[in-house]
Amino acid sequence: MARYKAVIAYDGTNYCGFQTQENGKTVQSELEKTLTKFNNGIHVPIQGSGRTDSGVHAEGQVIHFDMPNERDEEKLRHAFDTQSPADIAVKSVEMVDDEFHARYLAKGKTYHFYVDTKRPRSPFTRYYAAFFPYDLDIKKMQEAAKLLLGTHDFSGFCATGTEIEDKVRTVYQADVEEIEPGRLRFSFSGNGFLYKMVRIMVGTLLKIGNDRMEVENISKILETKDRNLAGPTAHPEGLYLMEVRYE
Amino acid sequence: MARYKAVIAYDGTNYCGFQTQENGKTVQSELEKTLTKFNNGIHVPIQGSGRTDSGVHAEGQVIHFDMPNERDEEKLRHAFDTQSPADIAVKSVEMVDDEFHARYLAKGKTYHFYVDTKRPRSPFTRYYAAFFPYDLDIKKMQEAAKLLLGTHDFSGFCATGTEIEDKVRTVYQADVEEIEPGRLRFSFSGNGFLYKMVRIMVGTLLKIGNDRMEVENISKILETKDRNLAGPTAHPEGLYLMEVRYE
C-alpha cells in the first residue's frame, strides 16, 4: 500500500460542496471516480482536510488516499489532473508516510474572501466574489479584524447545526485590503475554523465597515458567544480555501 | 427620438458572439430583448462598434440605440443592467447626438489577450484565458510585437471569409507582459482590427516565443500578406475588447 497526499484546486460553482453527500455532485465524488478508474474499478476513498460548502472554491485543498502500489508521483498527478473534470485541478501529488492524515494532522488553514464593491456587478466575477456595492470604511474593518486575533471561543461566529463541541480556535491573521479599486480581499489564518466561521466573520466585518455596527461589537460577540449579535453569513462565492498546513 | 450610447461588459462564454445571427443566443439579441421590454414591446435595434466571436469577452464594448423619448440616464442604465442577463453588465449610458454611430465613428480599439502558462490549468481561468504551458521567451515576443506597430496591410493576419477590401490598419500599441508568474497579458491598440487579427497576432507571437518561428517573420508576413506564414489563431477565451474610442 502507498499513501498519497495531493493538493487540489477547484471552482466550486457547479458542486454541492467538497464532501460526498446523498444528493448532488461533489468534488470528492468526482475525484474518487477518477482514482477508482486508475484502480481497475476498485473504489478508492479520499479524505479531505475538511469540507467546503456549495459554491465555495479552493486553491489549496489537501486530500489523502491509498493505492495498492507505488506509482510515479508526476505521472499520477498528470493522469489524476487530466482525467478529472476541468473545474478541478490536481496541483501536486506526493507519496507520504502511512501515518499522514489530511484531516487529523492539519495544523492550520488559510482562507481568502473576495468582495467586489463596484457597480455594476462584473460579469466575470459573479461566481468568484461576493457583491457588496455599498459604502465601506476599510480602516474600521481592519481595526475590527484585529479583535478576532488570538485564542477565543468562536461560538458566536459559528453556524448552528455543527456537532463539534469545542469551539475554541486560534486566529493568527485577520486582514482586509483593497487589492484594486472596487475589490477587497479578506485573509484569515488560524489553527482551524468552525462551520461557516469565515463567512460569518466577513459578514460581520462588512456590517461594521458599512457603519451599521460598532467595532467593539466583535469583542461582545466573542464574550457572549451569541450568534445573533454577529452579522449575516457572507455569500459562498467569495470564499477560497487557500492553504492547509501540516507539521 | 433620443439616441443613447452605452458601454457594455460581457462574459462571452455562453454566447455565440456579440452580433445577432440566425442560430444561437447572442449578446446583441439579449440586449435588444431588454430594451424592447422598456419600449412597450416595440423592437429596439442596437448597433455595436463591431462584432466579437463566440467565447470572446468585453469590458468596454460600445453600442448605440434610439428610444422614442428622453429618459434619465442613470435610471435607464440601472434598469438595462439589472434586467439583462447576469453575464452582461451595462456600465454606462449617456444621451448622445443623433449623429453618433457606434460603428462608423469608432476611431480606435484596445484589446487584451490573457495566456496562462502554469500547469495545471487553473479551474478559475479555463473560460477566461488561453492555456499555453510551454517555454516562452518573453523578450523575443516583445521584440516581435514591436514589428507590428505602424500602418501596414494586415492581410497576412486576417482570417479568410471577410468582405472588407481595405486591409490597411494602424497599430499604435503592441505589448506583452508577464503580469504575474505564469500569466501573460498581450495588449493591442489600433485604429481598427481585421477579422481574427488579434488572435492571429497572438498565435504568431506565441509561436515566436516558443522558438518555432523567427522574430523577423513578422515583417515577412506583413510584406507578403500571406496568412499561411503566420501562426495559428489563438483561442477565443483569452480575448477581451477593452475599449472603443471616439473623437
Side-chain angles (χ1 to χ4, degrees), chain A residues 113-152:
Chain A
F113 193 101
Y114 289 91
V115 175
D116 279 356
T117 60
K118 204 161 53 179
R119 277 186 210 268
R121 186 170 197 172
S122 165
F124 301 106
T125 58
R126 67 199 196 283
Y127 300 126
Y128 305 110
F131 185 52
F132 193 84
Y134 309 104
D135 283 338
L136 282 174
D137 182 334
I138 293 174
K139 283 221 171 120
K140 229 180 130 184
M141 290 196 284
Q142 285 165 339
E143 225 181 291
K146 293 293 158 271
L147 299 175
L148 294 163
L149 294 176
T151 304
H152 307 280

Side-chain angles (χ1 to χ4, degrees), chain A residues 4 69-78 93 95:
Chain A
Y4 291 93
N69 303 303
E70 281 189 30
R71 292 173 180 240
D72 178 85
E73 291 171 337
E74 175 52 22
K75 276 188 195 154
L76 178 56
R77 185 207 67 74
H78 185 261
V93 167
M95 206 172 89

Side-chain angles (χ1 to χ4, degrees), chain B residues 204-233:
Chain B
T204 305
L205 292 174
L206 288 172
K207 202 166 174 182
I208 289 170
N210 191 228
D211 250 340
R212 290 179 293 120
M213 193 187 273
E214 290 309 308
V215 170
E216 296 70 36
N217 207 48
I218 295 284
S219 309
K220 209 173 291 171
I221 301 162
L222 292 171
E223 275 162 38
T224 61
K225 302 166 198 164
D226 186 355
R227 169 72 185 88
N228 297 315
L229 294 184
T233 306

Side-chain angles (χ1 to χ4, degrees), chain B:
Chain B
M1 197 259 320
R3 177 158 292 190
Y4 290 93
K5 171 190 177 188
V7 178
I8 309 290
Y10 48 86
D11 175 344
T13 307
N14 296 317
Y15 292 98
C16 301
F18 176 79
Q19 193 169 295
T20 298
Q21 51 179 54
E22 274 190 33
N23 298 304
K25 196 174 65 158
T26 65
V27 177
Q28 180 181 356
S29 59
E30 291 300 317
L31 291 171
E32 290 183 349
K33 252 189 239 168
T34 310
L35 290 175
T36 300
K37 268 195 278 176
F38 300 164
N39 198 29
N40 299 314
I42 301 162
H43 183 68
V44 180
I46 66 169
Q47 171 68 53
S49 74
R51 59 195 275 187
T52 58
D53 283 325
S54 181
V56 172
H57 312 295
E59 276 288 3
Q61 170 70 291
V62 174
I63 64 169
H64 82 255
F65 56 91
D66 297 326
M67 298 296 273
N69 302 303
E70 280 190 32
R71 291 173 179 241
D72 178 86
E73 290 171 340
E74 176 51 24
K75 277 189 194 153
L76 178 56
R77 186 207 66 75
H78 184 262
F80 196 12
D81 179 53
T82 53
Q83 298 198 39
S84 295
D87 49 6
I88 301 177
V90 179
K91 296 171 95 169
S92 71
V93 167
E94 60 172 316
M95 205 172 89
V96 287
D97 196 277
D98 289 0
E99 301 297 303
F100 178 81
H101 193 285
R103 177 155 198 168
Y104 300 150
L105 299 187
K107 287 287 170 255
K109 287 184 180 175
T110 298
Y111 286 93
H112 285 172
F113 194 101
Y114 289 91
V115 175
D116 280 356
T117 60
K118 204 162 52 180
R119 282 183 207 266
R121 187 169 196 172
S122 165
F124 301 107
T125 57
R126 66 199 195 285
Y127 299 127
Y128 305 111
F131 185 52
F132 194 84
Y134 308 104
D135 284 338
L136 281 173
D137 183 335
I138 293 173
K139 284 222 171 121
K140 228 181 129 184
M141 289 196 286
Q142 285 165 338
E143 223 181 293
K146 292 295 159 268
L147 298 176
L148 292 164
L149 295 175
T151 303
H152 307 280
D153 183 317
F154 281 94
S155 298
F157 291 98
C158 179
T160 49
T162 172
E163 310 116 48
I164 294 166
E165 298 231 335
D166 179 12
K167 302 227 175 60
V168 175
R169 296 291 182 276
T170 302
V171 172
Y172 305 124
Q173 191 220 7
D175 280 327
V176 195
E177 351 163 44
E178 187 163 24
I179 53 169
E180 53 184 87
R183 189 163 179 74
L184 305 182
R185 182 177 62 206
F186 294 76
S187 325
F188 299 96
S189 290
N191 66 351
F193 292 88
L194 303 170
Y195 187 45
K196 295 195 178 164
M197 176 170 153
V198 176
R199 290 163 58 191
I200 298 171
M201 291 193 302
V202 170
T204 305
L205 292 174
L206 288 172
K207 202 166 174 182
I208 289 170
N210 191 228
D211 250 340
R212 290 179 293 120
M213 193 187 273
E214 290 309 308
V215 170
E216 296 70 36
N217 207 48
I218 295 284
S219 309
K220 209 173 291 171
I221 301 162
L222 292 171
E223 275 162 38
T224 61
K225 302 166 198 164
D226 186 355
R227 169 72 185 88
N228 297 315
L229 294 184
T233 306
H235 286 197
E237 68 270 20
L239 186 60
Y240 294 71
L241 171 57
M242 296 304 292
E243 199 193 348
V244 186
R245 283 180 300 281
Y246 297 88
E247 248 163 26

Side-chain angles (χ1 to χ4, degrees), chain A residues 151-168:
Chain A
T151 304
H152 307 280
D153 183 317
F154 281 94
S155 297
F157 292 97
C158 179
T160 50
T162 171
E163 311 114 48
I164 294 164
E165 299 231 332
D166 178 12
K167 302 226 175 60
V168 175

Side-chain angles (χ1 to χ4, degrees), chain A residues 87-102:
Chain A
D87 49 6
I88 301 177
V90 179
K91 296 171 95 170
S92 70
V93 167
E94 60 173 315
M95 206 172 89
V96 287
D97 196 276
D98 289 359
E99 303 296 302
F100 178 81
H101 194 286

